[in-house]
Amino acid sequence: SYCGTDAGWTNVWRLLSTDCPADSLVYASSSNQTDCPNGNWTFSFAALPAGTYYLPVPNVGFGQGGGPYHITVGAAACAGSPPANDLCSAVVPSPLPVGGNLTFTGDNTDATFAGDATGDNVMSQYSFPNTWHAFTTTGCADVTVNYCTTDSGWSNVWKLLSLDCPAATLVAPDRMDTTNCTNGNWTFAFDSLPAGTYYLPVPNVGFGQGGGAYSIQVDAGLCGTVGLAIGQVAKDDWILFPNPANGAVQIMVHRSIGASVVRVADMAGRTVLKQNAMLLKGDAYDLPLSTVTPGIYQVVIEQAGGRQVKPLVIR
């Protein structure tokens, strides 16, 4: 609008250029001389794509314009535009302290699938539109994600996290259920997540199964405080050494655990090693992982009374 310019500016270019010198012109979708009290021009462009635009200001002369001027340019999101967190690369991770929680809110009605996932994973195979959120932990945490405050129609969500953006390395939950939320929505939990940044995708599945406005709560507890069973081994009963490791890893047993199943799984939940073991005080139990691909894994000790999980990094 030329509302702040002298009323003599009655002849202006009601257009933009997409290049310099001007070759490709974009003409105004609408214009009027009624919005400005002084009768100067206001003109609008509907649904301009993202990009750079050049605005020419003519000196027509003949009392119709020239000299000092003041032009106001305003922008509003196009109707149906993707939300700001449509791409995970546009998301700034929020700090999630151990013992704290976060609430993520948004609306993925106009979300797209562009740039969401890469590689051969479940997110690549099922191209639902997503919005994204992210959080960063500074220490080992048991993390729980719930959709309890979201409309009960959200019956289909991604029950996972991603370690990267776009999503290539996915983290599967240790537990999930639809009973913790009174509206029947999903809760899913991750035991002993190593410190780091995690991306949370929110799919618009449609078909009455999810999409639109949402609210998600993420809670972080001290490692070992979520999902503990009676009789489960304590955190200080054993450690992994070294960790991070280059393939040679041992379970150092500080207090007798007894007959157990030792399982090593990647962050997608795939088991790479499973062995029966009698873990007694003072043992150094070898995990033959020299041929395992570098990455983040979970070492699980399972007993009749429960299970214990510790993170392991293979370099």
Side-chain angles (χ1 to χ4, degrees), residues 218-231:
V218 182
D219 295 271
L222 185 66
C223 278
T225 60
V226 174
L228 293 178
I230 296 174

Side-chain angles (χ1 to χ4, degrees), residues 2-10 38 40 68-70:
Y2 276 75
C3 297
T5 300
D6 181 82
W9 286 67
T10 56
N38 61 2
N40 275 0
Y69 56 84
H70 182 96

Side-chain angles (χ1 to χ4, degrees), residues 27 59 68 97 130 136 139 170 175 184 189 192 204 225 239 242 262 268 291 302:
Y27 294 94
N59 184 339
N130 300 278
T136 299
L170 304 181
R175 293 172 309 284
S192 300
N204 184 337
T225 60
I239 64 170
V262 177
T291 60
E302 299 172 332

Side-chain angles (χ1 to χ4, degrees), residues 148-242:
C148 296
T149 55
T150 299
D151 180 83
S152 58
W154 287 67
S155 57
N156 203 334
V157 297
W158 291 122
K159 296 173 282 292
L160 51 81
L161 300 170
S162 176
L163 295 177
D164 38 28
C165 168
T169 308
L170 304 181
V171 183
D174 293 278
R175 293 172 309 284
M176 62 186 79
D177 67 74
T178 55
T179 58
N180 285 340
C181 294
T182 56
N183 61 1
N185 277 358
W186 284 100
T187 296
F188 43 102
F190 305 85
D191 293 342
S192 300
L193 279 186
T197 295
Y198 298 88
Y199 294 87
L200 172 64
V202 187
N204 184 337
V205 179
F207 315 112
Q209 299 179 39
Y214 58 84
S215 174
I216 304 169
Q217 183 164 317
V218 182
D219 295 271
L222 185 66
C223 278
T225 60
V226 174
L228 293 178
I230 296 174
Q232 186 170 343
V233 291
K235 275 289 180 185
D236 58 352
D237 281 353
W238 58 282
I239 64 170
L240 297 169
F241 182 83

Side-chain angles (χ1 to χ4, degrees), residues 93-135:
S94 300
L96 178 60
V98 175
N101 61 75
L102 294 169
T103 298
F104 293 125
T105 60
D107 190 322
N108 63 7
T109 300
D110 298 310
T112 71
F113 182 67
D116 280 353
T118 185
D120 183 20
N121 60 45
V122 67
M123 288 195 65
S124 298
Q125 295 169 24
Y126 297 94
S127 53
F128 299 125
N130 300 278
T131 49
W132 289 86
H133 300 276
F135 60 86

